[in-house]
Amino acid sequence: MKRLAVLTSGGDCSGMNATLRAVVRAGLASGIEIVGIQKGFQGLIDRQYEIMTTRSVSNVLQRGGTFLQSARCKEMQSEAGLQLAIETLKGLGATGLIVIGGDGSLKGAHAIHQQGLPVIGIPASIDNDIPFTDMALGVDTALNNIIKAVDNLKDTASSHDRAFVVETMGRGCGYLAVVATIASGAEYSLIPEEPYDLELICSDLRRRFREGRSNSIIMVAEGAGKAQDIADQIKDRIGFETRIVVLGHYQRGGSPSVFDRLLGARFGQAAVENLLKGNHGKMVGLRASEIVLTDLAKVVAAGSRPIDPMLPLLASQLSV
Ligand code: F6P
């Protein structure tokens, strides 16, 4: 029987389990055995794996995180680590590998592909900074987590005429902060892609409170600043007691949204199907509701996906 290996790598996100379930069940339906590698590339180096059955993926669809566990693996960046990973795959008799993860993980996938092993990458990162896909896995659930938090904060903020600075994740990408601003009706979004003027924000905050607005929410992407620094600067400039919430890893967990469950199902099935067809060295992606393939080499060379400039524009137009 043919064997494919699958692993989840880098920061976990909701929808990884749904994707694993799709890989295992689509594989078994095509008569392919699936080996689950534990703890990402580290598991390939340390030979930690399990043979998956249809029951291995029962009852996982609704769970966040990844039951195979994940890791950020420095060793994979060395030639020795890469060769150990290849040896494990060969030893397992795996004729292909599916890597579910973010930009660093896709680099690892590409490195293995360059050694002649068939690989398909699946983009998974709440940051939504992976090029050649409109959405990565986990983004939609993370956004739902963020707006749920902001909705709650608005209740308490408006009971006290308060401003809140809410810090989102996203590494160097402001996608989560700006989309959450639009979707939650927050007032300001500070993102690394665009300069911001705290002086202007402060005078606008004053105007809002003069007009009797009961709350103001300032979203800040972690790549654009620290919530506490921004709150301190607001206090120093205009004396407002501004509270902060750093959402941190709360954003990454939780039961996946319908969107992420469906995306995981489609990505997982497409990864297996394309490996079996001999289309490898590719990343699956979503483009205007179609599943598309892009060469891993092109994905890795492109760097981070830029955010659509319409998003910050829309965020500022709608928050007056
Ligand atoms: O890339 C996903 C992400 O959640 C980033 O938004 C964040 O900066 C980083 O991972 C946090 O990494 P860790 O889980 O290793 O603390």
Side-chain angles (χ1 to χ4, degrees):
M1 188 192 254
K2 268 189 151 184
R3 261 189 181 178
L4 299 179
V6 63
L7 60 84
T8 49
S9 163
D12 68 287
C13 66
S14 293
M16 281 181 159
N17 285 328
T19 313
L20 289 169
R21 175 176 178 270
V23 166
V24 171
R25 295 206 171 157
L28 292 174
S30 304
I32 306 295
E33 194 169 58
I34 304 289
V35 189
I37 310 294
Q38 291 150 354
K39 299 190 199 287
F41 291 111
Q42 196 61 53
L44 268 186
I45 290 170
D46 300 340
R47 296 173 195 266
Q48 284 183 277
Y49 58 85
E50 61 190 81
I51 306 291
M52 316 278 270
T53 66
T54 193
R55 294 293 301 279
S56 316
V57 288
S58 289
N59 221 16
V60 299
L61 180 61
Q62 72 279 20
R63 283 168 42 203
T66 161
F67 75 88
L68 278 182
Q69 296 195 287
S70 189
R72 300 192 193 278
C73 176
K74 281 235 157 42
E75 236 178 308
M76 254 310 274
Q77 290 164 19
S78 70
E79 187 55 30
L82 176 61
Q83 291 313 323
L84 279 173
I86 304 269
E87 267 173 41
T88 302
L89 287 166
K90 288 190 174 156
L92 282 171
T95 48
L97 171 69
I98 296 171
V99 172
I100 306 168
D103 53 356
S105 311
L106 295 169
K107 280 191 188 132
H110 183 234
I112 292 180
H113 162 70
Q114 284 182 310
Q115 300 285 315
L117 231 123
V119 181
I120 291 261
I122 296 183
S125 165
I126 64 165
D127 303 342
N128 214 22
D129 59 349
I130 302 169
F132 303 106
T133 185
D134 294 343
M135 289 289 271
L137 204 65
V139 177
D140 186 66
T141 306
L143 282 168
N144 280 299
N145 289 338
I146 297 169
I147 62 161
K148 170 79 180 125
V150 175
D151 289 350
N152 288 0
L153 290 173
K154 282 187 158 203
D155 291 344
T156 169
S158 50
S159 305
H160 295 271
D161 283 339
R162 269 181 182 153
F164 270 82
V165 182
V166 182
E167 185 180 314
T168 66
M169 278 187 163
R171 222 180 269 269
C173 178
Y175 184 89
L176 287 177
V178 75
V179 174
T181 298
I182 297 165
S184 68
E187 279 66 39
Y188 311 95
S189 95
L190 315 186
I191 58 171
E193 290 85 350
E194 301 228 312
Y196 56 86
D197 183 345
L198 258 185
E199 202 59 53
L200 270 182
I201 292 175
C202 285
S203 63
D204 200 51
L205 278 172
R206 270 217 184 93
R207 171 194 61 82
R208 288 180 56 79
F209 280 91
R210 266 200 315 272
E211 288 175 4
R213 308 293 189 95
S214 62
N215 71 85
S216 297
I217 305 285
I218 301 140
M219 304 286 303
V220 56
E222 64 178 352
K226 293 254 165 272
Q228 189 62 62
D229 292 347
I230 289 157
D232 289 347
Q233 289 186 58
I234 294 173
K235 171 107 175 44
D236 290 349
R237 283 168 206 237
I238 55 174
F240 280 15
E241 279 291 353
T242 306
R243 299 290 196 257
I244 70 153
V245 174
V246 178
L247 292 172
H249 291 80
Y250 160 85
Q251 289 157 97
R252 275 205 336 222
S255 184
S257 63
V258 172
F259 183 90
D260 278 324
R261 295 180 193 203
L262 190 59
L263 193 63
R266 294 179 76 195
F267 277 171
Q269 189 274 342
V272 171
E273 185 181 289
N274 280 291
L275 268 179
L276 296 184
K277 278 189 189 156
N279 292 331
H280 37 77
K282 314 271 184 197
M283 181 190 83
V284 295
L286 182 75
R287 271 295 169 89
S289 84
E290 297 290 322
I291 300 292
V292 294
L293 292 177
T294 308
D295 286 342
L296 273 172
K298 214 168 146 186
V299 175
V300 167
S304 276
R305 170 184 185 271
I307 61 168
D308 178 348
M310 273 308 291
L311 291 171
L313 205 65
L314 185 60
S316 77
Q317 270 179 5
L318 299 186
S319 52
V320 278

